[in-house]
Amino acid sequence: MTATSLGADPARRDTLTRRIRFLVAATITYNVIEAVVAITAGALASSTALIGFGLDSVIEVSSAAAVAWQFSAPDHAVREAREQRTLRIIAVSFFALALYVAVDSVRALTDTGEAGHSVPGIVLAGLSLAIMPFLSAAQRKAGRELGSASAVADSRQTLLCTYLSAVLLVGLLTHALLGWSWADPIAALVIAAIAVKEGRNAWQGKGCCVPPTGHTPAASTPAACGCAEGGSCC
């Protein structure tokens, strides 16, 4: 894909900045609600995957809040200066999620207790599976056009929520319909693996690199993600 240089079009840049602010606010609002419902339902059902999903929502809030902080600056130069720090916060958020879910999943697999069924969890997973792709796609599109690695990384946090919703839904339904208690922590381990991958990408700044002013790069390859030659991985 390509990235567009907006150095000569501050009006479009401001429009995209406002759009990202709105999408980040919507993401934070939804994830706060999602976290409360998921963690409560997970605690009631002793579901590791559901609690992990709720914690992912908390981490998504911290990730989105970092982007909100970056884009709260009225000056474009200040926003760019905050980019790397925001990416680091997003990466640490991914790693924190992976660590917690992995440890808790291993504990659940070796525990004699079993997770109970959770109808609210199933409903929540289905609802998130329907909502999250649209929020992610909209922010990713705006972030790519703006050339913001942090906005794209945060959109991938939201996209991860979509993957988690699908994994969680399969895990909960499998447990409810087939009685496979191990499906819940196994689903949680998949969540942890995805989080590690995305955290590494965010730490390395992969996903979208700001192109040089006045330069519109050709389609980039994954190897160009380091931006050593000014390439874009949008």
Side-chain angles (χ1 to χ4, degrees), residues 125-207:
L127 185 62
S128 296
L129 189 58
I131 294 175
M132 291 292 102
F134 296 101
L135 282 175
S136 174
Q139 185 174 340
R140 185 168 62 253
K141 180 179 179 181
R144 284 174 170 176
E145 185 175 351
L146 189 60
S148 171
S150 60
V152 173
D154 185 56
S155 76
R156 292 189 175 185
Q157 261 276 21
T158 306
L159 184 61
L160 175 62
C161 188
T162 302
Y163 298 152
L164 302 188
S165 301
V167 170
L168 177 66
L169 187 58
V170 170
L172 293 178
L173 287 174
T174 300
H175 179 44
L177 298 176
L178 302 178
W180 294 350
S181 60
W182 49 264
D184 186 87
I186 290 297
L189 284 174
V190 175
I191 290 173
I194 296 173
V196 169
K197 176 180 179 296
E198 293 300 333
R200 186 170 59 250
N201 287 343
W203 187 271
Q204 295 172 351
K206 293 182 179 180

Side-chain angles (χ1 to χ4, degrees), residues 36-118:
V36 172
V37 175
I39 292 175
T40 301
L44 292 174
S46 299
S47 169
T48 303
L50 194 49
I51 293 175
F53 184 73
L55 289 174
D56 169 70
S57 300
V58 174
I59 290 171
E60 168 62 15
V61 169
S62 68
S63 173
V67 177
W69 165 73
Q70 177 189 352
F71 282 86
S72 66
D75 185 75
H76 176 63
V78 175
R79 293 195 295 269
E80 286 191 330
R82 293 178 176 181
E83 180 97 346
Q84 193 62 33
R85 185 177 300 176
T86 302
L87 280 170
R88 291 290 190 261
I89 293 173
I90 293 172
V92 170
S93 297
F94 275 120
F95 293 142
L97 169 68
L99 178 61
Y100 170 82
V101 174
V103 171
D104 213 37
S105 296
V106 172
R107 180 200 59 78
L109 284 170
T110 57
D111 197 358
T112 55
E114 293 186 2
H117 301 162
S118 177

